[in-house]
């Protein structure tokens, strides 16, 4: 089995993986919703942090708790909890993001028995002068609460080690992303996304070893594939199959701005005297999601344009989950800037719980437009 | 036939003054340039008094309030324009009409003279994600306004870190205001404005607290009218502070003497969620059943500063002199602002709002609750479904209807009426008045 296949398997069998990890190590598993959770703290406490991911199936269990206008991703995640698929979690955490993800977290807290819940009430105005201090306070509180709940302290050396493990993992994944700048990227967008998602559900060291193997495989025999139209995918989806559908239509997704993609791992925690301060800074400085890009003029459109240029993309698909207003506020501005710079961009709404068959037709229609604009 | 009990009722004595102040605020806003006042886009959020240090200023609300909101044709057009720009129905409904009115060149229009008032800067303190994202649109669509937003921290519980964060943002805000406007910052004016805002908020909180009395001295529509001065961000003015004091004293007397807002009160309700701004009479529709909407968690926390006890009663924020905080220097003032808005501000405690609602419903002796599930206000529908579950678990009758406070196409009036009628019937109530008055909104423009 190739390393890429192993990533796919890891995501598909994430519940089994976590259960086996628990059995093997006797450790605890912490689920998190938002990637602004400084998960290194859980790792340093000997826990396995795993991202809560939906199953992309229609569901009807969340309607008593979540209003129908809340995003499909959040409803899908809560459905997993209500259906007992995450019954192995010892803790659930999220960071202050949008009201949708808060709702999922709060409903989880109300209806699904889990021993501990951790809400990271981080600042939204990440550029403001007090943000670093506020974030540091949050990371510190998280660590102290974990220590109290676990009944043991988390030494600075464990924090430093966790940061090292995470940074290495990030560095390796960035190496893979850099290969996508080539004329013939050795990896597809869907495979890349599976690599990142596997990192969110696996032990980081084990995942890093797999990424190393992947890089070696590429050195030995880079896969050959028709590249077609080079695309950037941005917005929100937790389904690599969506990207696969796009790539089946004569394209390669060479860059992404997704929190199930580059946004998750792009920057490292820079070593400093205080590991908690390094963590706080890392999370404030990572590529922002729409709910952290609030101060004055938006930075995301410019950031995405730079990425588009660096990866020489010819078109962009901006995926928005149905009823996701945070992304909706940014997308017209992103689309405008990309198009002003000759990159046709299409905003595509998706309900992650609706089977992909219906999506394919829409993507195809969208891609025809992209191709016309490129021609 | 049983005789329906009737409570004594009488008009509010302070009503005339309220109307006069409302008219004056509008006049002052549109004559800002004559006095050389700064015009600031902002207002309904907390802490407009930070601006007081700059001297004369007028606020123009980013939520287009006023006659346009009653005009279905205009509202529909504004919503359509926003959709065409890529801001669909799931974006904040008030943002969409603000954007629509900017695109129609109506934003900031003096409806009497047709003159447009252009703000100089945008300054607000916000907790809502829709509003936070909206301020970027003001820069893109609205004259590239320089903008500064203060984040009201979301809290699981009040914490020192949030006080520090808010205080540091306020320090930064003062520097930004000075730099951007080129005006000197006067700390005495800042202190004066803040102390007025603080007192106004406490008087307003007390007014709402008296709603626990049976019969309710006010109904929710009256509360909303009182809140218009708050919505205009005018609580820092001494005459507004004095008005709220006078109003609080009058409502206290009404509560004590059993003067009702609705003479036929026999059922008390919370109307939760944003009330549609068109048609304007949803809240009064209940009256024909002898039911009165007395307030809601949402209404009370919009401008109230208090903590909610387990029995649903409140501890209203103390007056400045009773708070035990130094109030001499600029740092003292900014610190006290941060303390008041982290310790006595239940609004951003998202997780607690469900328990607050149920406990408050008991304390305010309500017989049930009606939830407006707003398709264009996710900030306020967060927790709504969970609240409905919690009300049912607590044995409190509850119903809901869907709509969007500023988008007429999202509200089916016939459906709303049927749901309310069915709910009233389930509570064993029959209309006291014959006929079937429908909700209505004016069409003008
Ligand atoms: S950012 Fe959008 S997709 Fe993500 S949780 Fe919030 S609403 Fe849902
Ligand atoms: S509270 Fe609701 S209406 Fe107000 S800005 Fe937020 S989402 Fe919009």
């Amino acid at each position: 089995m190739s390393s890429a296949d192993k990533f796919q398997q890891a995501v598909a069998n994430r519940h089994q993986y976590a259960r086996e990890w628990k059995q093997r190590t006797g450790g605890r598993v912490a689920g998190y919703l938002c990637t602004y959770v400084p998960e290194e703290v859980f790792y340093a406490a000997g826990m396995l942090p795993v991202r809560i991911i939906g199953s992309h199936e229609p569901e009807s269990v969340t309607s008593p708790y979540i209003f129908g206008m809340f995003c499909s991703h959040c409803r899908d995640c809560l459905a997993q909890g209500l259906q007992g698929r995450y019954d192995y979690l010892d803790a659930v955490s999220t960071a202050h993001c949008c009201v949708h993800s808060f709702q999922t977290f709060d409903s989880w807290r109300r209806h699904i028995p889990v021993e501990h819940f951790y809400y990271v009430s981080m600042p939204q105005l990440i550029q403001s002068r007090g943000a670093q201090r506020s974030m540091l306070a949050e990371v510190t509180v998280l660590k102290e609460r974990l220590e109290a709940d676990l009944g043991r302290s988390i030494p600075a050396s464990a924090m430093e080690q966790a940061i090292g493990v995470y940074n290495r993992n990030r560095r390796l994944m960035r190496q893979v992303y850099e290969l996508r700048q080539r004329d013939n990227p050795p990896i597809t967008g869907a495979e890349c996304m599976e690599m990142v998602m596997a990192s969110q559900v696996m032990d980081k060291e084990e995942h890093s070893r797999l990424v190393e193997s992947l890089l070696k495989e590429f050195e030995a025999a880079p896969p050959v594939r028709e590249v077609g139209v080079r695309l950037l995918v941005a917005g929100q989806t937790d389904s690599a199959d969506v990207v696969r559908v796009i790539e089946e239509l004569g394209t390669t997704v060479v860059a992404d701005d997704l929190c199930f993609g580059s946004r998750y791992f792009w920057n490292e925690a820079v070593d400093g005297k205080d590991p908690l301060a390094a963590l706080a800074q890392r999370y404030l400085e990572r590529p922002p999601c729409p709910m952290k890009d609030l101060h004055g003029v938006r930075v995301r459109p410019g950031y995405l344009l730079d990425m588009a240029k660096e990866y020489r993309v010819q078109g962009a698909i901006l995926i928005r989950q149905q009823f996701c207003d945070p992304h909706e506020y940014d997308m017209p501005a992103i689309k405008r800037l990309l198009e002003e710079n000759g990159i046709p961009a299409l905003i595509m709404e998706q309900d992650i719980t609706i089977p992909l068959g219906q999506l394919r037709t829409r993507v195809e229609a969208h891609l025809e437009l992209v191709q016309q604009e490129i021609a | 036939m049983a005789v329906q009990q009737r409570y004594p009722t009488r008009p509010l004595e302070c009503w005339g003054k309220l109307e006069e102040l409302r008219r004056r605020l509008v006049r002052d806003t549109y004559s800002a340039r004559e006095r050389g006042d700064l015009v600031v886009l902002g207002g309904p959020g907390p802490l407009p008094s930070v601006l007081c240090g700059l001297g004369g200023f007028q606020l123009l609300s980013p939520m287009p309030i006023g006659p346009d909101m009653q005009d279905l044709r205009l509202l529909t057009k504004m919503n359509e324009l926003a959709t065409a720009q890529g801001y669909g129905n799931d974006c904040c409904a008030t943002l969409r009409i603000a954007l629509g009115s900017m695109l129609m060149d109506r934003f900031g229009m003096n409806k009497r003279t047709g003159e447009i008032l252009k703000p100089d800067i945008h300054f607000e303190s916000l907790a809502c994600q829709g509003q936070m994202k909206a301020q970027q649109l003001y820069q893109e669509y609205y004259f590239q306004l320089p903008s500064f937003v203060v984040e009201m921290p979301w809290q699981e519980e009040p914490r020192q870190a949030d006080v520090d964060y808010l205080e540091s943002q306020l320090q930064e805000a003062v520097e930004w205001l000075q730099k951007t406007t080129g005006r000197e910052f006067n700390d005495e004016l800042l202190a004066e404005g803040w102390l007025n805002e603080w007192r106004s908020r406490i008087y307003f909180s007390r007014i709402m607290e008296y709603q626990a009395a049976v019969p309710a001295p006010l109904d929710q529509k009256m509360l909303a009218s009182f809140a218009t001065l708050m919505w205009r961000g005018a609580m820092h003015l001494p005459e507004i502070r004095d008005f709220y004091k006078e109003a609080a004293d009058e409502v206290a007397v009404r509560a004590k003497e059993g003067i009702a807002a609705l003479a036929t009160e026999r059922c008390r309700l919370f109307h939760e969620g944003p009330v549609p701004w068109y048609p304007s009479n949803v809240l009064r529709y209940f009256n024909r059943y002898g039911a009165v909407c007395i307030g809601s968690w949402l209404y009370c926390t919009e401008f109230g500063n208090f903590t909610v006890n387990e029995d649903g009663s409140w501890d209203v924020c103390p007056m400045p002199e009773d708070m035990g905080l130094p109030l001499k220097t600029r740092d003292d003032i900014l610190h006290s602002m941060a303390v008041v808005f982290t310790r006595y501000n239940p609004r951003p405690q998202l997780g607690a709002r469900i328990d607050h609602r149920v406990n408050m419903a008991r304390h305010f002796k309500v017989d049930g609750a009606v939830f407006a599930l707003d398709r264009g206000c996710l900030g306020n529908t967060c927790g709504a479904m969970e609240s409905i579950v919690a009300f049912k678990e607590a044995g409190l009758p509850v119903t809901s209807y869907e709509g969007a406070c500023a988008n007429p196409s999202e509200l089916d009036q016939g459906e709303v009426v049927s749901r309310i009628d069915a709910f009233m019937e389930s509570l064993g109530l029959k209309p006291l008045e014959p006929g079937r008055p429908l909700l209505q909104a004016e069409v003008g423009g």
Side-chain angles (χ1 to χ4, degrees):
Chain A
M1 200 193 281
S2 71
S3 302
D5 290 337
K6 286 185 187 154
F7 291 133
Q8 189 179 23
Q9 288 299 306
V11 179
N13 302 324
R14 56 193 178 277
H15 299 305
Q16 192 190 334
Y17 178 91
R19 284 199 183 93
E20 284 172 7
W21 181 91
K22 259 184 108 155
Q23 222 167 18
R24 195 172 68 240
T25 63
R28 291 162 170 247
V29 182
Y32 64 91
L33 291 160
C34 171
T35 53
Y36 274 96
V37 171
E39 52 179 296
E40 289 91 332
V41 183
F42 291 101
Y43 192 89
M47 296 172 82
L48 175 70
V50 296
R51 182 135 191 222
I52 293 169
I53 302 173
S55 67
H56 315 150
E57 299 154 334
E59 57 83 18
S60 55
V61 290
T62 59
S63 55
Y65 313 116
I66 300 192
F67 183 41
M69 285 296 282
F70 279 60
C71 85
S72 37
H73 167 66
C74 283
R75 280 185 280 121
D76 194 16
C77 287
L78 181 64
Q80 306 312 303
L82 291 170
Q83 288 162 346
R85 294 192 179 136
Y86 277 101
D87 57 0
Y88 52 86
L89 293 182
D90 301 286
V92 169
S93 179
T94 198
H96 178 28
C97 173
C98 60
V99 286
H100 307 249
S101 61
F102 178 83
Q103 181 68 75
T104 298
F105 175 77
D106 200 40
S107 290
W108 203 298
R109 181 159 66 174
R110 282 169 193 281
H111 306 291
I112 304 164
V114 175
E115 217 178 323
H116 300 293
F117 288 92
Y118 302 98
Y119 187 72
V120 181
S121 187
M122 72 172 292
Q124 299 277 56
L125 292 176
I126 52 173
Q127 300 93 333
S128 82
R129 206 187 291 154
Q132 167 73 20
R133 187 167 160 206
S134 164
M135 187 66 190
L136 176 57
E138 282 304 319
V139 180
T140 309
V141 166
L142 176 65
K143 176 176 164 285
E144 288 170 357
R145 280 199 50 207
L146 255 181
E147 287 175 330
D149 292 341
L150 295 172
R152 59 171 187 269
S153 73
I154 305 170
S157 58
M159 282 305 315
E160 277 157 14
Q161 202 235 343
I163 289 174
V165 168
Y166 270 69
N167 278 350
R168 177 160 173 270
N169 189 249
R170 291 171 180 138
R171 226 170 291 143
L172 285 165
M173 288 200 281
R174 271 198 81 147
Q175 281 179 36
V176 175
Y177 264 59
E178 273 154 29
L179 299 177
R180 301 168 85 188
Q181 293 183 8
R182 290 181 181 170
D183 288 342
N184 290 297
I187 186 163
T188 66
E191 287 165 344
C192 237
M193 195 169 160
E194 273 157 354
M195 170 186 76
V196 179
M197 289 177 72
S199 160
Q200 297 177 335
V201 295
M202 284 175 77
D203 172 71
K204 282 283 185 290
E205 289 197 273
E206 192 181 339
H207 184 266
S208 289
R209 285 195 292 276
L210 275 184
V211 183
E212 278 175 328
S213 310
L214 183 77
L215 286 163
K216 279 193 194 122
E217 284 165 29
F218 291 157
E219 258 171 48
V224 185
R225 183 179 171 275
E226 189 64 49
V227 179
V229 181
R230 297 173 70 90
L231 288 180
L232 161 76
V233 164
Q236 215 286 355
T237 183
D238 66 352
S239 163
D241 286 340
V242 172
V243 178
R244 199 164 279 119
V245 166
I246 296 170
E247 293 184 312
E248 278 166 9
L249 297 166
T251 74
T252 300
V253 172
V254 294
D256 73 70
D257 179 57
L258 300 169
C259 67
F260 290 90
S262 68
R263 264 208 316 276
Y264 172 63
F265 69 86
W266 210 238
N267 67 328
E268 295 180 22
V270 180
D271 281 347
K273 268 195 222 115
D274 176 5
L276 295 184
L279 271 188
Q281 196 174 345
R282 188 266 159 192
Y283 282 91
L284 291 177
E285 288 178 355
R286 59 167 271 194
C289 83
M291 286 316 300
K292 302 290 180 296
D293 186 8
L294 297 166
H295 213 285
V297 179
R298 269 170 251 266
V299 301
R300 294 187 67 236
Y303 171 77
L304 280 171
L305 178 62
D306 290 346
M307 180 187 274
K309 286 182 177 158
E310 211 177 328
Y311 285 79
R312 293 176 291 122
V313 311
Q314 296 162 296
I317 299 205
L318 310 176
I319 303 174
R320 187 175 74 80
Q321 288 308 305
Q322 194 182 26
F323 306 134
C324 163
D325 61 312
H327 280 286
E328 192 168 12
Y329 287 119
D330 275 357
M331 281 187 179
I334 293 171
K335 180 175 158 68
R336 202 177 314 131
L337 187 69
L338 290 177
E339 292 190 337
E340 278 166 11
N341 285 275
I343 299 161
L346 295 154
I347 297 175
M348 200 180 74
E349 191 183 82
Q350 191 208 0
D351 179 338
I352 195 71
T353 59
I354 288 178
L356 282 180
Q358 298 173 26
L359 185 91
R360 187 183 301 267
T361 328
R362 274 190 295 145
V363 175
E364 216 159 359
H366 283 332
L367 280 175
E368 269 172 35
L369 281 173
V370 177
Q371 260 147 347
Q372 275 168 23
E373 293 198 39
I374 294 169
Chain B
M1 196 177 162
V3 180
Q4 164 66 39
Q5 180 187 1
R6 287 192 75 86
Y7 293 107
T9 184
R10 63 172 180 246
L12 278 156
E13 281 161 30
C14 62
W15 206 252
K17 193 173 238 175
L18 172 67
E19 289 297 325
E20 188 192 309
L21 283 167
R22 268 157 55 159
R23 276 195 298 273
R24 210 204 78 195
L25 288 175
V26 176
R27 262 199 323 271
D28 285 355
T29 301
Y30 287 106
S31 59
R33 297 296 180 214
E34 291 162 25
R35 290 182 307 279
D37 283 356
L38 193 74
V39 180
V40 182
L41 184 65
L47 296 172
S49 52
V50 177
L51 292 159
C52 291
L54 295 173
F57 71 95
Q58 294 297 322
L59 283 162
L60 190 63
S61 171
M63 299 225 175
I65 37 185
D68 280 8
M69 291 308 96
Q70 298 295 313
D71 186 327
L72 287 192
R73 240 181 301 165
L74 264 181
L75 275 181
T76 306
K77 178 86 186 142
M78 289 167 184
N79 276 293
E80 284 168 1
L81 284 171
T83 305
Q85 292 291 326
Y87 304 98
N89 278 6
D90 23 25
C91 287
C92 158
T94 50
L95 154 71
R96 275 158 49 85
I97 49 167
L99 178 61
S101 71
M102 284 172 199
L103 294 167
M104 288 172 83
D105 283 332
R106 288 186 73 85
F107 197 88
M109 184 189 278
N110 183 340
K111 302 295 174 322
R112 206 171 39 80
T113 62
E115 191 192 332
I116 300 266
L117 183 64
K118 289 185 184 179
D120 302 299
I121 57 167
H122 170 241
F123 176 82
E124 270 184 292
S125 45
L126 301 167
C128 165
Q129 71 180 43
Q131 290 175 342
M132 299 270 262
K133 289 304 285 181
Q135 51 90 18
Q136 292 170 318
L137 290 178
Y138 300 141
Q139 302 188 42
E140 286 158 14
Y141 288 96
Y142 204 70
F143 315 118
Q144 282 76 47
L145 274 190
S147 166
F148 194 97
V149 170
V150 174
E151 178 191 4
M152 302 307 288
W154 276 12
Q155 302 173 295
E156 283 289 269
E157 69 259 314
R159 296 166 325 161
Q160 183 58 37
D162 295 319
V163 178
D164 297 342
Y165 178 48
L166 185 50
E167 193 178 334
S168 125
Q169 289 183 79
L170 294 171
Q171 294 279 7
E172 211 175 331
V174 169
E175 287 168 34
W176 182 88
L177 287 169
Q178 267 179 304
K179 200 167 132 225
T180 311
T181 64
R183 291 187 177 197
E184 275 298 309
F185 203 83
N186 183 318
D187 291 337
E188 269 171 40
L189 292 176
L190 170 76
E192 209 176 287
W194 164 234
L195 295 184
N196 289 338
E197 178 181 345
W198 188 338
R199 291 179 199 282
S200 296
R201 288 175 169 280
I202 291 168
Y203 293 132
F204 195 70
S205 307
R206 287 184 189 161
I207 291 174
M208 296 184 292
E209 222 184 358
Y210 296 130
Q211 288 293 86
V214 180
L218 305 173
D219 65 21
Q220 203 161 335
K221 189 115 170 93
M222 290 161 148
L223 276 181
S225 299
F226 276 139
T228 50
L229 305 177
M230 294 277 184
W231 274 88
R232 291 209 170 267
M235 50 280 229
H236 60 279
L237 297 171
E239 55 276 32
I240 302 293
R241 173 205 62 200
D242 293 345
F243 167 77
Y244 279 126
K245 177 171 184 333
E246 197 184 316
D249 290 344
E250 188 184 345
V251 178
V253 172
R254 285 171 77 95
K256 193 159 162 253
E257 293 178 358
I259 308 297
L262 180 70
T264 54
E265 175 181 314
R266 55 179 177 159
C267 169
R268 297 156 64 84
L269 299 170
F270 270 177
H271 184 289
E272 282 288 359
V275 182
W277 298 0
Y278 63 88
S280 49
N281 57 348
V282 174
L283 292 173
R284 293 263 161 93
Y285 183 77
F286 297 88
N287 295 0
R288 62 195 294 259
Y289 287 94
V292 57
C293 296
I294 63 161
S296 68
W297 178 89
L298 184 73
Y299 258 59
C300 295
T301 56
E302 179 89 49
F303 299 114
N305 288 87
F306 52 85
T307 55
V308 184
N309 300 318
E310 252 175 53
D311 64 359
S313 63
W314 301 349
D315 284 334
V316 173
C317 174
M319 282 290 184
E321 54 277 16
D322 302 325
M323 191 80 161
L325 289 172
L327 295 167
K328 288 208 169 65
T329 65
R330 180 190 298 178
D331 288 353
D332 293 344
I333 295 297
L334 300 181
H335 177 70
S336 66
M337 287 174 166
V339 170
V340 168
F341 278 95
T342 44
R343 277 200 210 143
Y344 295 95
N345 187 19
R347 194 65 179 270
Q349 293 171 28
L350 279 186
R353 62 168 64 170
I354 293 142
D355 293 342
H356 284 173
R357 272 186 176 130
V358 173
N359 296 340
M360 272 172 54
R362 290 213 181 89
H363 178 73
F364 282 78
K365 304 175 222 46
V366 304
D367 302 293
V370 180
F371 280 79
L373 300 171
D374 198 300
R375 298 172 69 84
C377 179
L378 299 177
N380 284 328
T381 43
C382 184
M385 301 303 289
E386 288 288 4
S387 299
I388 291 173
V389 170
F391 269 73
K392 284 183 185 157
E393 281 172 3
L396 286 159
V398 59
T399 190
S400 64
Y401 65 88
E402 288 194 20
C405 59
N407 187 355
S409 66
E410 297 274 9
L411 186 97
D412 178 339
Q413 298 201 19
E415 164 82 11
V416 175
V417 167
S418 315
R419 290 192 78 114
I420 296 175
D421 287 344
F423 183 56
M424 293 289 105
E425 216 167 284
S426 73
L427 294 175
L429 298 174
K430 295 216 164 18
L432 298 171
E433 307 149 24
R436 190 182 163 88
L438 281 175
L439 309 176
Q440 4 136 326
E442 297 92 56
V443 178

